[in-house]
Amino acid sequence: MKERWALKRYPAEKYAQVCEIISKRFPSVRFVHAGLPRDDKIMHPAVTDFRGVGTIREQFGLLRKCTAVISNDSGLMHAAAAQGVKTFGIFGPTNLWKNLPRDNTTPIRLEKGVLSCMPCQKASGGHGLGRRKDGSKCAQECLQKLCSEVVASPIISFLRGVVDEVHNSDDGV
């Protein structure tokens, strides 16, 4: 089971690249890394590591205070969206129609047709998460090939409006 969940994780080094791209555009933006202690650490100076800190309820409360959440297809992604926080969900092997929260979430994934094995998760009778149609094991290509610029782009678009709004209110406009 643990191996299946790992297939849904966007690599930590790619998250660090996303943080760098966003930080170049918005130097004052800070990131919080919530999750489990076993999750790979995101190495970026603008990231504060809260993996494993507090209870799950406290981590949900932390998400509620965020302007936006960037997340794998995970429980924390669903919690952020359910609390009304703008959420950017990174999807690899899972079906959007099955796993995408109904509100507040922008899905980010490779375009259809890039990989013939996407998505490998099927509701019933399929080859299953982590298995290609030919029965071979997934190598997580759907997340490995998802470049950090593609992930950062919709987040930057969202933050433009938020940051501009904050700056305008600071200027009294």
Side-chain angles (χ1 to χ4, degrees):
M1 182 67 125
K2 249 193 274 184
E3 183 180 326
R4 289 180 55 199
W5 290 117
L7 292 172
K8 296 167 55 169
R9 288 194 184 121
Y10 193 58
E13 63 274 4
K14 288 187 170 260
Y15 269 118
Q17 292 169 359
V18 170
C19 293
E20 183 61 23
I21 293 165
I22 295 169
S23 292
K24 283 183 179 177
R25 175 65 174 87
F26 304 105
S28 63
V29 168
R30 296 293 171 255
F31 303 89
V32 172
H33 186 186
L36 300 172
R38 71 175 178 254
D39 293 340
D40 293 336
K41 185 173 183 171
I42 298 172
M43 303 297 291
H44 190 275
V47 175
T48 302
D49 190 357
F50 279 98
R51 292 172 303 142
V53 174
T55 65
I56 193 76
R57 182 175 288 196
E58 290 168 331
Q59 291 232 342
F60 287 1
L62 177 64
L63 295 175
R64 189 178 317 120
K65 295 178 185 283
C66 294
T67 301
V69 169
I70 310 163
S71 178
N72 301 315
D73 176 12
S74 67
L76 288 176
M77 177 194 70
H78 288 273
Q83 293 180 91
V85 178
K86 178 60 181 166
T87 303
F88 296 88
I90 300 174
F91 288 85
T94 54
N95 278 328
L96 291 180
W97 65 265
K98 182 179 179 292
N99 295 22
L100 182 67
R102 293 177 192 234
D103 297 314
N104 307 313
T105 306
T106 299
I108 303 171
R109 71 171 334 150
L110 284 178
E111 291 182 34
K112 284 184 181 180
V114 172
L115 295 171
S116 63
C117 57
M118 284 179 52
C120 62
Q121 180 187 43
K122 301 286 184 187
S124 62
H127 46 285
L129 187 63
R131 290 280 169 203
R132 294 188 181 131
K133 292 175 186 172
D134 66 4
S136 64
K137 197 171 182 180
C138 174
Q140 204 187 23
E141 294 99 331
C142 52
L143 291 173
Q144 294 294 336
K145 291 184 179 212
L146 182 58
C147 69
S148 50
E149 291 82 5
V150 169
V151 174
S153 181
I155 301 160
I156 288 171
S157 294
F158 169 75
L159 288 174
R160 272 191 203 115
V162 172
V163 171
D164 290 345
E165 186 177 303
V166 168
H167 284 209
N168 288 338
S169 66
D170 287 347
D171 296 336
V173 176

